[in-house]
Amino acid sequence: NQIREIPDVEQEPLYQPDSSLPYTRSMVVVPISTGGAVQGVLEVRSNQPGAIDSDLKFVLQTVANQVASTIQNIRLLETAHV
């Protein structure tokens, strides 16, 4: 349930290349979580190494939090209808 950044995929031994995204050089994965449970992830890739700075990570975390809040609100609305 933490942000995972790979500044240069060529230097990351655990990175598994994706044939549909062959030009990936850096990436970040931001969890979308509600109540401590991960509902999904927001994944952003770049064709440049080190392209993901702290400002972008902050924006992505904000977007992930908004998505998580929306998921929670939809669940509450569905529960209220039942």
Side-chain angles (χ1 to χ4, degrees), residues 48-81:
Q48 300 175 19
I52 297 144
D53 61 13
S54 60
D55 290 338
L56 179 56
K57 285 191 281 188
F58 177 78
V59 169
L60 294 173
Q61 183 66 68
T62 301
V63 170
N65 291 344
Q66 290 293 324
V67 171
S69 177
T70 301
I71 290 170
Q72 184 67 19
N73 289 340
I74 289 171
R75 286 189 177 148
L76 290 172
L77 182 63
E78 289 175 344
T79 301
H81 284 282

PDB file of all heavy atoms in Angstrom, residues 48-81:
ATOM      1  N   GLN A  48      11.452   8.150 -20.710  1.00  0.00           N
ATOM      2  CA  GLN A  48      12.698   8.766 -20.268  1.00  0.00           C
ATOM      3  C   GLN A  48      13.028   8.297 -18.857  1.00  0.00           C
ATOM      4  O   GLN A  48      12.149   8.273 -17.992  1.00  0.00           O
ATOM      5  CB  GLN A  48      12.569  10.283 -20.269  1.00  0.00           C
ATOM      6  CG  GLN A  48      12.260  10.866 -21.625  1.00  0.00           C
ATOM      7  CD  GLN A  48      12.024  12.358 -21.537  1.00  0.00           C
ATOM      8  OE1 GLN A  48      12.409  13.013 -20.577  1.00  0.00           O
ATOM      9  NE2 GLN A  48      11.389  12.906 -22.554  1.00  0.00           N
ATOM     10  N   PRO A  49      14.286   7.938 -18.598  1.00  0.00           N
ATOM     11  CA  PRO A  49      14.646   7.550 -17.235  1.00  0.00           C
ATOM     12  C   PRO A  49      14.574   8.759 -16.298  1.00  0.00           C
ATOM     13  O   PRO A  49      14.875   9.881 -16.688  1.00  0.00           O
ATOM     14  CB  PRO A  49      16.074   7.030 -17.371  1.00  0.00           C
ATOM     15  CG  PRO A  49      16.580   7.593 -18.642  1.00  0.00           C
ATOM     16  CD  PRO A  49      15.402   7.841 -19.522  1.00  0.00           C
ATOM     17  N   GLY A  50      14.126   8.521 -15.069  1.00  0.00           N
ATOM     18  CA  GLY A  50      14.062   9.574 -14.068  1.00  0.00           C
ATOM     19  C   GLY A  50      13.034  10.656 -14.343  1.00  0.00           C
ATOM     20  O   GLY A  50      13.124  11.746 -13.786  1.00  0.00           O
ATOM     21  N   ALA A  51      12.041  10.362 -15.155  1.00  0.00           N
ATOM     22  CA  ALA A  51      11.066  11.381 -15.557  1.00  0.00           C
ATOM     23  C   ALA A  51      10.016  11.670 -14.499  1.00  0.00           C
ATOM     24  O   ALA A  51       9.313  12.670 -14.587  1.00  0.00           O
ATOM     25  CB  ALA A  51      10.388  10.951 -16.855  1.00  0.00           C
ATOM     26  N   ILE A  52       9.910  10.832 -13.490  1.00  0.00           N
ATOM     27  CA  ILE A  52       8.847  10.987 -12.500  1.00  0.00           C
ATOM     28  C   ILE A  52       9.427  11.666 -11.263  1.00  0.00           C
ATOM     29  O   ILE A  52      10.150  11.049 -10.491  1.00  0.00           O
ATOM     30  CB  ILE A  52       8.208   9.629 -12.180  1.00  0.00           C
ATOM     31  CG1 ILE A  52       7.547   9.093 -13.452  1.00  0.00           C
ATOM     32  CG2 ILE A  52       7.189   9.752 -11.077  1.00  0.00           C
ATOM     33  CD1 ILE A  52       7.616   7.649 -13.639  1.00  0.00           C
ATOM     34  N   ASP A  53       9.103  12.953 -11.116  1.00  0.00           N
ATOM     35  CA  ASP A  53       9.636  13.710  -9.988  1.00  0.00           C
ATOM     36  C   ASP A  53       8.638  13.740  -8.826  1.00  0.00           C
ATOM     37  O   ASP A  53       7.538  13.207  -8.917  1.00  0.00           O
ATOM     38  CB  ASP A  53      10.033  15.122 -10.419  1.00  0.00           C
ATOM     39  CG  ASP A  53       8.864  15.943 -10.952  1.00  0.00           C
ATOM     40  OD1 ASP A  53       7.698  15.537 -10.779  1.00  0.00           O
ATOM     41  OD2 ASP A  53       9.130  17.010 -11.540  1.00  0.00           O
ATOM     42  N   SER A  54       9.035  14.372  -7.743  1.00  0.00           N
ATOM     43  CA  SER A  54       8.192  14.384  -6.543  1.00  0.00           C
ATOM     44  C   SER A  54       6.887  15.145  -6.767  1.00  0.00           C
ATOM     45  O   SER A  54       5.860  14.787  -6.189  1.00  0.00           O
ATOM     46  CB  SER A  54       8.959  14.969  -5.359  1.00  0.00           C
ATOM     47  OG  SER A  54       9.366  16.294  -5.643  1.00  0.00           O
ATOM     48  N   ASP A  55       6.899  16.181  -7.599  1.00  0.00           N
ATOM     49  CA  ASP A  55       5.662  16.914  -7.885  1.00  0.00           C
ATOM     50  C   ASP A  55       4.654  16.023  -8.609  1.00  0.00           C
ATOM     51  O   ASP A  55       3.470  16.027  -8.279  1.00  0.00           O
ATOM     52  CB  ASP A  55       5.945  18.163  -8.735  1.00  0.00           C
ATOM     53  CG  ASP A  55       6.677  19.243  -7.967  1.00  0.00           C
ATOM     54  OD1 ASP A  55       6.605  19.248  -6.715  1.00  0.00           O
ATOM     55  OD2 ASP A  55       7.324  20.088  -8.610  1.00  0.00           O
ATOM     56  N   LEU A  56       5.121  15.263  -9.577  1.00  0.00           N
ATOM     57  CA  LEU A  56       4.231  14.357 -10.305  1.00  0.00           C
ATOM     58  C   LEU A  56       3.703  13.271  -9.379  1.00  0.00           C
ATOM     59  O   LEU A  56       2.516  12.936  -9.422  1.00  0.00           O
ATOM     60  CB  LEU A  56       4.938  13.740 -11.507  1.00  0.00           C
ATOM     61  CG  LEU A  56       4.119  12.753 -12.332  1.00  0.00           C
ATOM     62  CD1 LEU A  56       2.824  13.384 -12.834  1.00  0.00           C
ATOM     63  CD2 LEU A  56       4.947  12.217 -13.490  1.00  0.00           C
ATOM     64  N   LYS A  57       4.545  12.732  -8.512  1.00  0.00           N
ATOM     65  CA  LYS A  57       4.087  11.715  -7.559  1.00  0.00           C
ATOM     66  C   LYS A  57       3.014  12.281  -6.634  1.00  0.00           C
ATOM     67  O   LYS A  57       2.041  11.603  -6.333  1.00  0.00           O
ATOM     68  CB  LYS A  57       5.262  11.154  -6.751  1.00  0.00           C
ATOM     69  CG  LYS A  57       6.130  10.205  -7.540  1.00  0.00           C
ATOM     70  CD  LYS A  57       7.104   9.477  -6.670  1.00  0.00           C
ATOM     71  CE  LYS A  57       8.263  10.370  -6.352  1.00  0.00           C
ATOM     72  NZ  LYS A  57       9.365   9.680  -5.666  1.00  0.00           N
ATOM     73  N   PHE A  58       3.168  13.543  -6.222  1.00  0.00           N
ATOM     74  CA  PHE A  58       2.161  14.182  -5.380  1.00  0.00           C
ATOM     75  C   PHE A  58       0.831  14.295  -6.118  1.00  0.00           C
ATOM     76  O   PHE A  58      -0.224  13.981  -5.564  1.00  0.00           O
ATOM     77  CB  PHE A  58       2.643  15.563  -4.933  1.00  0.00           C
ATOM     78  CG  PHE A  58       1.635  16.307  -4.112  1.00  0.00           C
ATOM     79  CD1 PHE A  58       1.448  16.002  -2.772  1.00  0.00           C
ATOM     80  CD2 PHE A  58       0.860  17.300  -4.685  1.00  0.00           C
ATOM     81  CE1 PHE A  58       0.505  16.672  -2.011  1.00  0.00           C
ATOM     82  CE2 PHE A  58      -0.089  17.979  -3.936  1.00  0.00           C
ATOM     83  CZ  PHE A  58      -0.264  17.668  -2.601  1.00  0.00           C
ATOM     84  N   VAL A  59       0.879  14.714  -7.375  1.00  0.00           N
ATOM     85  CA  VAL A  59      -0.340  14.840  -8.177  1.00  0.00           C
ATOM     86  C   VAL A  59      -0.991  13.473  -8.366  1.00  0.00           C
ATOM     87  O   VAL A  59      -2.209  13.323  -8.228  1.00  0.00           O
ATOM     88  CB  VAL A  59      -0.042  15.507  -9.541  1.00  0.00           C
ATOM     89  CG1 VAL A  59      -1.226  15.403 -10.478  1.00  0.00           C
ATOM     90  CG2 VAL A  59       0.357  16.956  -9.349  1.00  0.00           C
ATOM     91  N   LEU A  60      -0.196  12.461  -8.672  1.00  0.00           N
ATOM     92  CA  LEU A  60      -0.734  11.114  -8.872  1.00  0.00           C
ATOM     93  C   LEU A  60      -1.353  10.564  -7.585  1.00  0.00           C
ATOM     94  O   LEU A  60      -2.395   9.910  -7.630  1.00  0.00           O
ATOM     95  CB  LEU A  60       0.352  10.174  -9.387  1.00  0.00           C
ATOM     96  CG  LEU A  60       0.888  10.499 -10.777  1.00  0.00           C
ATOM     97  CD1 LEU A  60       2.076   9.605 -11.103  1.00  0.00           C
ATOM     98  CD2 LEU A  60      -0.198  10.375 -11.824  1.00  0.00           C
ATOM     99  N   GLN A  61      -0.734  10.848  -6.443  1.00  0.00           N
ATOM    100  CA  GLN A  61      -1.301  10.404  -5.168  1.00  0.00           C
ATOM    101  C   GLN A  61      -2.625  11.106  -4.910  1.00  0.00           C
ATOM    102  O   GLN A  61      -3.587  10.487  -4.433  1.00  0.00           O
ATOM    103  CB  GLN A  61      -0.333  10.680  -4.017  1.00  0.00           C
ATOM    104  CG  GLN A  61      -0.838  10.187  -2.676  1.00  0.00           C
ATOM    105  CD  GLN A  61      -0.942   8.683  -2.622  1.00  0.00           C
ATOM    106  OE1 GLN A  61       0.069   7.999  -2.653  1.00  0.00           O
ATOM    107  NE2 GLN A  61      -2.149   8.147  -2.531  1.00  0.00           N
ATOM    108  N   THR A  62      -2.709  12.381  -5.264  1.00  0.00           N
ATOM    109  CA  THR A  62      -3.957  13.126  -5.106  1.00  0.00           C
ATOM    110  C   THR A  62      -5.058  12.534  -5.983  1.00  0.00           C
ATOM    111  O   THR A  62      -6.192  12.350  -5.536  1.00  0.00           O
ATOM    112  CB  THR A  62      -3.744  14.617  -5.449  1.00  0.00           C
ATOM    113  OG1 THR A  62      -2.732  15.148  -4.579  1.00  0.00           O
ATOM    114  CG2 THR A  62      -5.016  15.420  -5.290  1.00  0.00           C
ATOM    115  N   VAL A  63      -4.727  12.208  -7.230  1.00  0.00           N
ATOM    116  CA  VAL A  63      -5.701  11.589  -8.135  1.00  0.00           C
ATOM    117  C   VAL A  63      -6.140  10.232  -7.586  1.00  0.00           C
ATOM    118  O   VAL A  63      -7.332   9.914  -7.566  1.00  0.00           O
ATOM    119  CB  VAL A  63      -5.122  11.448  -9.558  1.00  0.00           C
ATOM    120  CG1 VAL A  63      -6.015  10.596 -10.437  1.00  0.00           C
ATOM    121  CG2 VAL A  63      -4.914  12.822 -10.183  1.00  0.00           C
ATOM    122  N   ALA A  64      -5.186   9.436  -7.122  1.00  0.00           N
ATOM    123  CA  ALA A  64      -5.520   8.117  -6.562  1.00  0.00           C
ATOM    124  C   ALA A  64      -6.432   8.264  -5.345  1.00  0.00           C
ATOM    125  O   ALA A  64      -7.376   7.477  -5.179  1.00  0.00           O
ATOM    126  CB  ALA A  64      -4.245   7.361  -6.195  1.00  0.00           C
ATOM    127  N   ASN A  65      -6.184   9.263  -4.502  1.00  0.00           N
ATOM    128  CA  ASN A  65      -7.043   9.493  -3.339  1.00  0.00           C
ATOM    129  C   ASN A  65      -8.456   9.887  -3.770  1.00  0.00           C
ATOM    130  O   ASN A  65      -9.437   9.456  -3.153  1.00  0.00           O
ATOM    131  CB  ASN A  65      -6.452  10.577  -2.442  1.00  0.00           C
ATOM    132  CG  ASN A  65      -5.182  10.144  -1.745  1.00  0.00           C
ATOM    133  OD1 ASN A  65      -4.871   8.960  -1.685  1.00  0.00           O
ATOM    134  ND2 ASN A  65      -4.431  11.104  -1.254  1.00  0.00           N
ATOM    135  N   GLN A  66      -8.570  10.693  -4.813  1.00  0.00           N
ATOM    136  CA  GLN A  66      -9.889  11.090  -5.314  1.00  0.00           C
ATOM    137  C   GLN A  66     -10.647   9.880  -5.868  1.00  0.00           C
ATOM    138  O   GLN A  66     -11.851   9.738  -5.644  1.00  0.00           O
ATOM    139  CB  GLN A  66      -9.746  12.169  -6.397  1.00  0.00           C
ATOM    140  CG  GLN A  66      -9.284  13.498  -5.873  1.00  0.00           C
ATOM    141  CD  GLN A  66     -10.316  14.157  -4.985  1.00  0.00           C
ATOM    142  OE1 GLN A  66     -11.507  14.048  -5.216  1.00  0.00           O
ATOM    143  NE2 GLN A  66      -9.853  14.825  -3.948  1.00  0.00           N
ATOM    144  N   VAL A  67      -9.949   9.026  -6.593  1.00  0.00           N
ATOM    145  CA  VAL A  67     -10.576   7.819  -7.128  1.00  0.00           C
ATOM    146  C   VAL A  67     -11.027   6.921  -5.981  1.00  0.00           C
ATOM    147  O   VAL A  67     -12.139   6.377  -5.991  1.00  0.00           O
ATOM    148  CB  VAL A  67      -9.620   7.066  -8.086  1.00  0.00           C
ATOM    149  CG1 VAL A  67     -10.167   5.706  -8.464  1.00  0.00           C
ATOM    150  CG2 VAL A  67      -9.352   7.907  -9.331  1.00  0.00           C
ATOM    151  N   ALA A  68     -10.177   6.763  -4.965  1.00  0.00           N
ATOM    152  CA  ALA A  68     -10.540   5.937  -3.804  1.00  0.00           C
ATOM    153  C   ALA A  68     -11.766   6.503  -3.094  1.00  0.00           C
ATOM    154  O   ALA A  68     -12.668   5.754  -2.703  1.00  0.00           O
ATOM    155  CB  ALA A  68      -9.358   5.852  -2.835  1.00  0.00           C
ATOM    156  N   SER A  69     -11.813   7.810  -2.966  1.00  0.00           N
ATOM    157  CA  SER A  69     -12.971   8.447  -2.333  1.00  0.00           C
ATOM    158  C   SER A  69     -14.241   8.215  -3.145  1.00  0.00           C
ATOM    159  O   SER A  69     -15.308   7.936  -2.586  1.00  0.00           O
ATOM    160  CB  SER A  69     -12.708   9.948  -2.189  1.00  0.00           C
ATOM    161  OG  SER A  69     -13.819  10.605  -1.650  1.00  0.00           O
ATOM    162  N   THR A  70     -14.127   8.294  -4.454  1.00  0.00           N
ATOM    163  CA  THR A  70     -15.276   8.044  -5.327  1.00  0.00           C
ATOM    164  C   THR A  70     -15.751   6.599  -5.202  1.00  0.00           C
ATOM    165  O   THR A  70     -16.960   6.346  -5.128  1.00  0.00           O
ATOM    166  CB  THR A  70     -14.920   8.373  -6.785  1.00  0.00           C
ATOM    167  OG1 THR A  70     -14.530   9.752  -6.862  1.00  0.00           O
ATOM    168  CG2 THR A  70     -16.085   8.115  -7.715  1.00  0.00           C
ATOM    169  N   ILE A  71     -14.831   5.664  -5.162  1.00  0.00           N
ATOM    170  CA  ILE A  71     -15.192   4.253  -4.984  1.00  0.00           C
ATOM    171  C   ILE A  71     -15.943   4.071  -3.672  1.00  0.00           C
ATOM    172  O   ILE A  71     -16.984   3.405  -3.620  1.00  0.00           O
ATOM    173  CB  ILE A  71     -13.939   3.354  -5.027  1.00  0.00           C
ATOM    174  CG1 ILE A  71     -13.362   3.312  -6.441  1.00  0.00           C
ATOM    175  CG2 ILE A  71     -14.248   1.943  -4.527  1.00  0.00           C
ATOM    176  CD1 ILE A  71     -11.994   2.655  -6.529  1.00  0.00           C
ATOM    177  N   GLN A  72     -15.427   4.675  -2.603  1.00  0.00           N
ATOM    178  CA  GLN A  72     -16.078   4.566  -1.291  1.00  0.00           C
ATOM    179  C   GLN A  72     -17.475   5.184  -1.325  1.00  0.00           C
ATOM    180  O   GLN A  72     -18.427   4.608  -0.787  1.00  0.00           O
ATOM    181  CB  GLN A  72     -15.220   5.249  -0.222  1.00  0.00           C
ATOM    182  CG  GLN A  72     -15.751   5.098   1.174  1.00  0.00           C
ATOM    183  CD  GLN A  72     -15.701   3.664   1.663  1.00  0.00           C
ATOM    184  OE1 GLN A  72     -14.977   2.826   1.143  1.00  0.00           O
ATOM    185  NE2 GLN A  72     -16.486   3.374   2.673  1.00  0.00           N
ATOM    186  N   ASN A  73     -17.625   6.338  -1.955  1.00  0.00           N
ATOM    187  CA  ASN A  73     -18.936   6.989  -2.037  1.00  0.00           C
ATOM    188  C   ASN A  73     -19.938   6.157  -2.825  1.00  0.00           C
ATOM    189  O   ASN A  73     -21.114   6.066  -2.444  1.00  0.00           O
ATOM    190  CB  ASN A  73     -18.806   8.382  -2.651  1.00  0.00           C
ATOM    191  CG  ASN A  73     -18.139   9.359  -1.723  1.00  0.00           C
ATOM    192  OD1 ASN A  73     -18.087   9.155  -0.516  1.00  0.00           O
ATOM    193  ND2 ASN A  73     -17.604  10.433  -2.289  1.00  0.00           N
ATOM    194  N   ILE A  74     -19.497   5.534  -3.898  1.00  0.00           N
ATOM    195  CA  ILE A  74     -20.389   4.675  -4.694  1.00  0.00           C
ATOM    196  C   ILE A  74     -20.827   3.471  -3.868  1.00  0.00           C
ATOM    197  O   ILE A  74     -22.002   3.091  -3.888  1.00  0.00           O
ATOM    198  CB  ILE A  74     -19.706   4.243  -6.004  1.00  0.00           C
ATOM    199  CG1 ILE A  74     -19.593   5.450  -6.938  1.00  0.00           C
ATOM    200  CG2 ILE A  74     -20.462   3.104  -6.676  1.00  0.00           C
ATOM    201  CD1 ILE A  74     -18.744   5.210  -8.159  1.00  0.00           C
ATOM    202  N   ARG A  75     -19.911   2.892  -3.116  1.00  0.00           N
ATOM    203  CA  ARG A  75     -20.276   1.754  -2.260  1.00  0.00           C
ATOM    204  C   ARG A  75     -21.292   2.162  -1.203  1.00  0.00           C
ATOM    205  O   ARG A  75     -22.235   1.431  -0.922  1.00  0.00           O
ATOM    206  CB  ARG A  75     -19.030   1.160  -1.616  1.00  0.00           C
ATOM    207  CG  ARG A  75     -18.202   0.380  -2.582  1.00  0.00           C
ATOM    208  CD  ARG A  75     -17.104  -0.360  -1.890  1.00  0.00           C
ATOM    209  NE  ARG A  75     -16.383  -1.148  -2.871  1.00  0.00           N
ATOM    210  CZ  ARG A  75     -15.108  -1.424  -2.812  1.00  0.00           C
ATOM    211  NH1 ARG A  75     -14.399  -1.001  -1.786  1.00  0.00           N
ATOM    212  NH2 ARG A  75     -14.526  -2.135  -3.739  1.00  0.00           N
ATOM    213  N   LEU A  76     -21.103   3.326  -0.610  1.00  0.00           N
ATOM    214  CA  LEU A  76     -22.061   3.807   0.387  1.00  0.00           C
ATOM    215  C   LEU A  76     -23.426   4.065  -0.239  1.00  0.00           C
ATOM    216  O   LEU A  76     -24.453   3.749   0.359  1.00  0.00           O
ATOM    217  CB  LEU A  76     -21.526   5.078   1.053  1.00  0.00           C
ATOM    218  CG  LEU A  76     -20.334   4.901   1.988  1.00  0.00           C
ATOM    219  CD1 LEU A  76     -19.791   6.268   2.412  1.00  0.00           C
ATOM    220  CD2 LEU A  76     -20.705   4.068   3.197  1.00  0.00           C
ATOM    221  N   LEU A  77     -23.426   4.612  -1.444  1.00  0.00           N
ATOM    222  CA  LEU A  77     -24.687   4.867  -2.137  1.00  0.00           C
ATOM    223  C   LEU A  77     -25.392   3.565  -2.458  1.00  0.00           C
ATOM    224  O   LEU A  77     -26.612   3.448  -2.263  1.00  0.00           O
ATOM    225  CB  LEU A  77     -24.414   5.661  -3.411  1.00  0.00           C
ATOM    226  CG  LEU A  77     -25.634   6.063  -4.228  1.00  0.00           C
ATOM    227  CD1 LEU A  77     -26.540   6.996  -3.431  1.00  0.00           C
ATOM    228  CD2 LEU A  77     -25.200   6.730  -5.530  1.00  0.00           C
ATOM    229  N   GLU A  78     -24.659   2.559  -2.936  1.00  0.00           N
ATOM    230  CA  GLU A  78     -25.258   1.261  -3.217  1.00  0.00           C
ATOM    231  C   GLU A  78     -25.814   0.614  -1.949  1.00  0.00           C
ATOM    232  O   GLU A  78     -26.888   0.022  -1.976  1.00  0.00           O
ATOM    233  CB  GLU A  78     -24.220   0.336  -3.865  1.00  0.00           C
ATOM    234  CG  GLU A  78     -23.868   0.718  -5.286  1.00  0.00           C
ATOM    235  CD  GLU A  78     -22.761  -0.123  -5.864  1.00  0.00           C
ATOM    236  OE1 GLU A  78     -22.031  -0.825  -5.102  1.00  0.00           O
ATOM    237  OE2 GLU A  78     -22.586  -0.081  -7.101  1.00  0.00           O
ATOM    238  N   THR A  79     -25.120   0.750  -0.847  1.00  0.00           N
ATOM    239  CA  THR A  79     -25.582   0.192   0.420  1.00  0.00           C
ATOM    240  C   THR A  79     -26.865   0.894   0.876  1.00  0.00           C
ATOM    241  O   THR A  79     -27.797   0.244   1.366  1.00  0.00           O
ATOM    242  CB  THR A  79     -24.500   0.344   1.508  1.00  0.00           C
ATOM    243  OG1 THR A  79     -23.327  -0.331   1.059  1.00  0.00           O
ATOM    244  CG2 THR A  79     -24.947  -0.253   2.823  1.00  0.00           C
ATOM    245  N   ALA A  80     -26.928   2.194   0.679  1.00  0.00           N
ATOM    246  CA  ALA A  80     -28.116   2.944   1.070  1.00  0.00           C
ATOM    247  C   ALA A  80     -29.342   2.554   0.239  1.00  0.00           C
ATOM    248  O   ALA A  80     -30.462   2.546   0.750  1.00  0.00           O
ATOM    249  CB  ALA A  80     -27.857   4.436   0.916  1.00  0.00           C
ATOM    250  N   HIS A  81     -29.124   2.178  -1.001  1.00  0.00           N
ATOM    251  CA  HIS A  81     -30.236   1.761  -1.876  1.00  0.00           C
ATOM    252  C   HIS A  81     -30.762   0.376  -1.506  1.00  0.00           C
ATOM    253  O   HIS A  81     -31.912   0.067  -1.783  1.00  0.00           O
ATOM    254  CB  HIS A  81     -29.825   1.792  -3.345  1.00  0.00           C
ATOM    255  CG  HIS A  81     -29.778   3.165  -3.906  1.00  0.00           C
ATOM    256  ND1 HIS A  81     -30.918   3.847  -4.273  1.00  0.00           N
ATOM    257  CD2 HIS A  81     -28.750   3.994  -4.168  1.00  0.00           C
ATOM    258  CE1 HIS A  81     -30.569   5.038  -4.721  1.00  0.00           C
ATOM    259  NE2 HIS A  81     -29.269   5.160  -4.668  1.00  0.00           N
TER     260      HIS A  81
END
